[in-house]
Amino acid sequence: MKDPFYPSYVELSKSAFQQNISFLKNYIGKEVLFSSVIKGNAYGHGIKYFVPMAEECGIRHFSVFSSDEAREASRASTCGDTHIMIVGMVSNEVIAWAIERDVSFFIFELDRMHAAIREAQRIGKPARIHLHLETGMNRLGLDPDNFEDISRLFKKHRKLLRLEGICTHYAGAESVGNYVRIQEQIEKFREYTSWFEDQDIEAQYYHTACSAAALNYPETIMDMVRIGIAQYGFWPNRETYMNFVKRYPNIQAEHKDPLKRVISWKSKVMSTKKVPAGEFIGYGNTYLTSRDEQIATVPIGYAHGFGRNLTNVGIVLINGERAPVAGLVNMNLLTVDITDIPDVTKGDEVVIIGTQGEQEMTVASFSEMRNFMNYEVLVQIPSTLPRYIV
């Protein structure tokens, strides 16, 4: 039962997610730990909805960016053996919370290492940490100049620190333009991890691969992978898909994309109106009817992530047909031309992203209309909208 209070809603396909997980696990290897990346409200899918669904599909490890996402994921989890890993922001004041709840977190500066030791000692429980090494991303990460201090601290406080992982992140593994830089990072990571091993510091997991790295550089698949965009049914970009097809031509031969989109975004027709030829529609004079037209209003606007730059170029699906946006996209509604779509009435389903009949509005096509990436479109879908598992 859809909540009638909301102007639109999101559907998450459990079967699509299960297919993606099966394909990805088969590709990376069954023995490799699959960490589901759910930052950015699970890429717009909704953490509190996505986590229980993912757990039902066998996922037990989740990566978040920040401690607030970790808390939301923890509250959403229904399995006692699920683990959450913070790859980014956790303030020193929250480290105690993470330690108490067995949430692991990245160490990419000495200050956080000192805070982890201090809180672990106070609580009487080891902190579960991952050493994030700087290999060339130049964003976050322990520089080689920090290695001696990290090694000294770890050896001195071994009982207070549980080294779950040593990791890094690649600077654009989705593009061949970054090939040389990625190769240099791979080499540096090998060199640095060897140094730590020489210091008798070894981790349970070595992990560097995100979706793009795992798909483009199989050698980066180690003990764990951190898979984000691919699990939701999207290739990091077209280039990654084409490279993958070159390596596995049977996929192209079958004309079959192994990744299935998990998300659909839907609304309904709010009202319909006849507009005579020669009239402007909506604010200003951006759209002039060239004939007698039938116009439908849809309660979606730029406040919901349907940008103003989709004025007169955006498309939605109604009754299995493509309905073009006619006029300015407003804050809370848009108008579409339904003149050539018969029998449209108030309450009819409107698909912003997803499939209706034989037509599909993909996130990729929606992205191209907005000049955004898949990632940007997904995370702008309002978190306040209800999500339904189908």
Side-chain angles (χ1 to χ4, degrees):
M1 180 71 177
K2 303 295 189 296
D3 190 334
F5 273 79
Y6 291 90
S8 69
Y9 59 92
V10 170
E11 290 181 344
L12 307 180
S13 170
K14 182 179 176 182
S15 62
F17 179 71
Q18 184 69 74
Q19 179 172 325
N20 296 339
I21 294 303
S22 297
F23 164 72
L24 291 165
K25 283 188 172 182
N26 184 61
Y27 170 72
I28 66 175
K30 302 294 184 182
E31 72 286 353
V32 177
L33 178 60
F34 186 104
S35 184
S36 167
V37 181
I38 55 172
K39 63 183 181 180
N41 198 29
Y43 289 56
H45 292 64
I47 287 177
K48 70 179 182 179
Y49 304 90
F50 183 81
V51 167
M53 182 186 76
E55 288 178 328
E56 289 178 10
C57 295
I59 301 298
R60 292 295 183 272
H61 198 285
F62 295 93
S63 293
V64 299
F65 171 73
S66 51
S67 50
D68 64 311
E69 293 178 338
R71 182 171 61 181
E72 186 172 2
S74 179
R75 289 171 174 171
S77 174
T78 59
C79 297
D81 56 345
T82 285
H83 180 69
I84 299 165
M85 178 174 73
I86 302 173
V87 307
M89 180 61 190
V90 51
S91 64
N92 289 353
E93 295 88 342
V94 180
I95 284 177
W97 175 91
I99 294 172
E100 289 167 350
R101 287 160 180 77
D102 286 321
V103 172
S104 63
F105 50 91
F106 281 17
I107 299 288
F108 43 72
E109 58 184 12
L110 288 173
D111 179 64
R112 182 174 289 184
M113 184 74 157
H114 285 297
I117 292 168
R118 184 170 60 249
E119 293 299 330
Q121 192 164 34
R122 183 179 66 82
I123 295 169
K125 183 179 181 180
R128 300 172 68 168
I129 65 170
H130 296 252
L131 299 181
H132 182 188
L133 310 184
E134 175 59 79
T135 58
M137 181 75 164
N138 295 316
R139 189 177 65 177
L140 294 171
L142 294 164
D143 294 309
D145 292 347
N146 302 138
F147 290 177
E148 289 284 357
D149 288 332
I150 288 292
S151 174
R152 175 181 54 79
L153 286 168
F154 184 79
K155 289 176 180 178
K156 183 178 179 180
H157 302 285
R158 277 185 186 269
K159 293 182 179 180
L160 299 175
L161 300 167
R162 177 174 163 184
L163 184 56
E164 299 221 327
I166 297 180
C167 58
T168 197
H169 189 59
Y170 297 113
E174 70 279 355
S175 174
V176 69
N178 300 317
Y179 177 82
V180 172
R181 191 175 175 191
I182 300 303
Q183 291 300 322
E184 290 174 348
Q185 286 190 267
I186 292 171
E187 185 56 39
K188 282 183 180 178
F189 187 75
R190 289 171 179 158
E191 175 189 337
Y192 296 163
T193 52
S194 293
W195 185 90
F196 278 102
E197 287 171 359
D198 289 342
Q199 306 302 308
D200 191 30
I201 297 175
E202 296 188 24
Q204 182 179 3
Y205 299 106
Y206 292 84
H207 53 104
T208 68
C210 59
S211 294
L215 294 167
N216 284 326
Y217 301 91
E219 66 270 30
T220 66
I221 299 172
M222 301 175 187
D223 305 303
M224 179 200 297
V225 293
R226 308 183 301 264
I227 301 295
I229 196 73
Q231 69 177 327
Y232 303 106
F234 304 97
W235 296 85
N237 60 1
R238 181 70 177 170
E239 184 180 328
T240 300
Y241 174 69
M242 296 308 295
N243 288 338
F244 196 85
V245 166
K246 286 179 182 178
R247 296 207 316 274
Y248 302 95
N250 62 303
I251 290 177
Q252 191 176 37
E254 296 172 2
H255 300 287
K256 185 179 179 183
D257 187 342
L259 296 178
K260 301 301 178 186
R261 306 333 152 225
V262 173
I263 198 168
S264 295
W265 182 16
K266 299 178 179 180
S267 184
K268 60 184 178 181
V269 172
M270 182 176 171
S271 182
T272 62
K273 179 183 288 290
K274 291 181 180 179
V275 180
E279 292 284 337
F280 290 110
I281 293 177
Y283 289 121
N285 54 6
T286 63
Y287 187 90
L288 180 68
T289 56
S290 58
R291 57 176 177 167
D292 292 346
E293 295 188 13
Q294 190 79 4
I295 299 297
T297 53
V298 180
I300 290 291
Y302 58 79
H304 308 100
F306 199 101
R308 282 173 67 91
N309 58 347
L310 293 175
T311 294
N312 296 334
V313 295
I315 296 169
V316 300
L317 302 179
I318 300 177
N319 289 356
E321 302 289 343
R322 298 163 72 85
V325 173
L328 273 173
V329 174
N330 300 176
M331 180 184 290
N332 298 106
L333 63 81
L334 54 89
T335 46
V336 297
D337 181 3
I338 56 169
T339 310
D340 298 321
I341 306 176
D343 304 323
V344 176
T345 60
K346 177 180 178 179
D348 283 352
E349 180 186 79
V350 178
V351 172
I352 300 100
I353 294 172
T355 302
Q356 192 183 66
E358 297 181 358
Q359 296 285 344
E360 181 178 10
M361 283 303 303
T362 66
V363 173
S365 60
F366 193 76
S367 303
E368 287 170 6
M369 286 191 292
R370 296 200 60 184
N371 295 316
F372 283 177
M373 299 188 302
N374 284 340
Y375 305 79
E376 292 179 80
V377 170
L378 289 168
V379 299
Q380 288 186 27
I381 298 174
S383 60
T384 53
L385 295 180
R387 271 75 171 161
Y388 301 97
I389 310 300
V390 296

